Amino acid sequence: MFATGIENSIPRIQHGRIRVDQMESCGHYRRWREDFDLVQDLGLSYLRYGPPLHTTLIGPERYDWEFADVTFAELRRRNIIPIVDLCHFGVPDWIGDFQNPDFPEQFARYARAFAERFRWVQLYTPVNEMFICAQFSAKYGWWNEQGTTERTFVTALKHIVRANVRAMQEILEVRPDAIFVQSESSEYFHAENPAAIKPAEVMNSSRFLSLDLNYGHRVDSEMYEYLLDNGMTQDEYHFFLGNSLRHHCILGNDYYWTNEHRVAADGLTRASGEIFGYCEITRQYYARYRLPVMHTETNIAEGPSGDEAVNWLWKEWANVLRLRNDGVPTVGFTWYSLTDQIDWDVGLREQNNRVHPVGLYDLNRQIRPVGRSYKQLVSDWGAVLPTQSICLTVPIVPPSEFGEQAAQRHADDARQLRDVELATTTDQMS
């Protein structure tokens, strides 16, 4: 699955006074038809995409589908397969922020309503980068609630991951053959001296928290104490252990040059640049979860030489091939995003209206060198990789085949398996 994405980040900054809307900043609301043209011009069939949550979920079980209706109808007409991103770094004003305990259930109902309206959609990323969303909103103090304590972080994390799990449950009630592609940041923390070993070890345990909870994987003893000391109850923890849907999931992970960190003795961190790289860090995540892998985000800014992004693309693709050739079941790759972004050079913390040149196209929709290179990569490898192992093909029903007899049989089989799964879970719980 070769993909790109149209980012729908919507965090609030400056104590809620400003809503950062990347679709607005990057012109997608005005140029969405043109953007879909660009996706097809690249030879891509997969697009990470979703409606803006803050203007679609307008109240408790109240929805405005106007923009989603026209854009998703066009995706279906073009037979572009969306990986639907339902929550990207922010919530509607009426919910407040990720400290609100009502968020998981309100979001789950929204996810079900979306699935019922767009039954032909099969692939979902319910909540994007759960760990980063909690960290930037509730530990670093950058977005939304702008929390800076361990307790605000754990509160955001448990609400975000519960929202993701509950959304998956609700979507499966509607579309039993749904597949969930997590998009989570893959991190590593390097101790820069012996005194930094302990804080680095703690950070290298905490990086797994969102996926551990999401997949029902038992956290280590230190992380368990950490969660309970900072507001998670035993019942909340047991909810995650008892509601794993990992067998419906692809382990989507993101990698940027900022994903590796140097840790000082006092616990302060700074970006280390690429040390291990995507291949080695993904091995660590795969060893923990044993799920099919998709590289769901990467990019780098085009610099003064003009070939920086092209070289990074080649390097990331070489890492993906190395993983795949070594036996890690790798099913997809994504350059993120389709166009340049605005203010991601400061992590969306400030509204500078500064272009971050990381797209396959610039904001005038002119292709960048990395766009031409990605188009060539897709053309060269798209037909070769499936012949190497037909067993690594994800069982996807394209929009054009939804409702056909074979697709219906597949959905019926999935529903029967889901019924068995629910019955087994009930027996285990009792």
Side-chain angles (χ1 to χ4, degrees):
M1 296 189 291
F2 288 103
T4 188
I6 295 172
E7 186 177 345
N8 57 342
S9 286
I10 53 162
R12 292 191 303 172
I13 61 174
Q14 296 187 17
H15 303 287
R17 291 190 296 270
I18 295 175
R19 170 78 69 179
V20 177
D21 183 341
Q22 281 287 292
M23 282 185 165
E24 175 66 33
S25 300
C26 299
H28 178 70
Y29 293 139
R30 295 179 289 105
R31 307 180 73 170
W32 56 269
R33 287 185 181 85
E34 186 178 356
D35 288 345
F36 293 166
D37 287 340
L38 301 181
V39 172
Q40 291 186 300
D41 185 63
L42 291 167
L44 299 175
S45 299
Y46 296 88
L47 179 67
R48 290 196 58 207
Y49 188 72
L53 181 63
H54 65 305
T55 56
T56 308
L57 177 56
I58 58 176
E61 299 185 69
R62 294 176 53 229
Y63 315 109
D64 181 348
W65 299 112
E66 181 179 3
F67 185 69
D69 280 344
V70 294
T71 52
F72 277 85
E74 185 65 9
L75 290 174
R76 187 176 187 180
R77 187 188 71 80
R78 295 170 183 251
N79 208 31
I80 295 173
I81 300 168
I83 305 171
V84 177
D85 188 342
L86 291 176
C87 176
H88 203 123
F89 296 152
V91 295
D93 290 347
W94 65 270
I95 286 178
D97 54 45
F98 294 110
Q99 301 298 300
N100 186 346
D102 295 333
F103 167 63
E105 288 306 310
Q106 294 292 343
F107 180 70
R109 292 170 192 164
Y110 168 69
R112 185 185 187 104
F114 179 93
E116 288 174 339
R117 194 171 187 89
F118 304 100
R119 289 178 179 268
W120 58 271
V121 171
Q122 184 184 15
L123 303 182
Y124 288 89
T125 301
V127 182
N128 172 74
E129 286 194 342
M130 296 177 284
F131 182 79
I132 295 299
C133 185
Q135 192 173 54
F136 287 12
S137 298
K139 192 171 185 178
Y140 290 175
W142 291 359
W143 301 336
N144 303 310
E145 57 262 50
Q146 296 188 235
T148 56
T149 69
E150 303 298 339
R151 182 167 288 266
T152 55
F153 169 72
V154 170
T155 300
L157 184 72
K158 69 183 183 182
H159 292 164
I160 289 167
V161 182
R162 189 182 185 103
N164 196 73
V165 173
R166 286 289 296 115
M168 291 193 291
Q169 291 173 330
E170 294 295 330
I171 291 167
L172 285 170
E173 287 290 315
V174 178
R175 182 76 195 251
D177 62 337
I179 296 170
F180 303 103
V181 184
Q182 267 67 59
S183 179
E184 186 56 279
S185 183
S186 51
E187 308 272 327
Y188 193 83
F189 296 86
H190 303 272
E192 65 180 18
N193 55 57
I197 291 175
K198 179 59 178 177
E201 287 178 345
V202 171
M203 293 174 192
N204 280 322
S205 292
S206 67
R207 66 183 166 140
F208 292 122
L209 280 175
S210 62
L211 292 177
D212 281 354
L213 297 174
N214 188 65
Y215 294 142
H217 186 285
R218 295 182 184 276
V219 302
D220 66 34
S221 58
E222 186 169 27
M223 287 298 102
Y224 181 71
E225 290 184 359
Y226 167 76
L227 291 173
L228 264 61
D229 287 345
N230 288 287
M232 181 177 286
T233 67
Q234 286 188 348
D235 285 346
E236 288 171 330
Y237 179 66
H238 290 153
F239 166 83
F240 296 112
L241 294 185
N243 288 279
S244 171
L245 295 169
R246 51 174 283 120
H247 43 292
H248 294 273
C249 296
I250 291 171
L251 173 59
N253 65 336
D254 308 342
Y255 183 81
Y256 299 92
W257 76 271
T258 53
N259 284 39
E260 297 185 58
H261 315 268
R262 290 178 63 174
V263 183
D266 60 3
L268 293 177
T269 64
R270 55 193 170 104
S272 66
E274 183 185 33
I275 305 297
F276 287 170
Y278 176 78
C279 181
E280 172 56 31
I281 294 177
T282 300
R283 289 181 198 278
Q284 297 172 11
Y285 281 77
Y286 175 71
R288 192 174 186 92
Y289 303 117
R290 295 292 174 179
L291 291 170
V293 170
M294 180 173 180
H295 194 335
T296 40
E297 282 186 28
T298 196
N299 67 44
I300 201 166
E302 183 177 296
S305 298
D307 61 357
E308 293 85 350
V310 172
N311 292 335
W312 183 261
L313 170 66
W314 179 86
K315 183 184 290 188
E316 289 302 288
W317 180 241
N319 273 257
V320 167
L321 289 180
R322 182 72 269 158
L323 276 175
R324 198 175 190 275
N325 292 339
D326 287 349
V328 176
T330 307
V331 299
F333 177 78
T334 314
W335 184 274
Y336 200 81
S337 53
L338 178 71
T339 67
D340 290 348
Q341 300 163 355
I342 297 292
D343 291 335
W344 258 115
D345 58 325
V346 290
L348 304 185
R349 287 173 286 175
E350 303 168 6
Q351 197 171 44
N352 302 318
N353 296 313
R354 187 160 55 226
V355 174
H356 194 42
V358 296
L360 299 167
Y361 294 84
D362 65 25
L363 292 181
N364 292 319
R365 276 52 180 181
Q366 299 300 307
I367 196 166
R368 288 192 176 278
V370 69
R372 288 190 288 271
S373 294
Y374 192 37
K375 183 176 182 177
Q376 189 64 52
L377 186 155
V378 172
S379 175
D380 290 345
W381 288 93
V384 173
L385 290 176
T387 66
Q388 296 179 353
S389 176
I390 61 172
C391 297
L392 273 181
T393 301
V394 181
I396 290 170
V397 178
S400 61
E401 297 177 17
F402 177 72
E404 294 184 1
Q405 192 172 12
Q408 188 58 52
R409 283 199 303 269
H410 178 67
D412 291 343
D413 290 343
R415 188 174 297 281
Q416 290 179 4
L417 290 171
R418 178 66 178 150
D419 290 342
V420 172
E421 172 186 76
L422 290 171
T424 303
T425 301
T426 301
D427 290 343
Q428 291 173 345
M429 295 292 287
S430 59

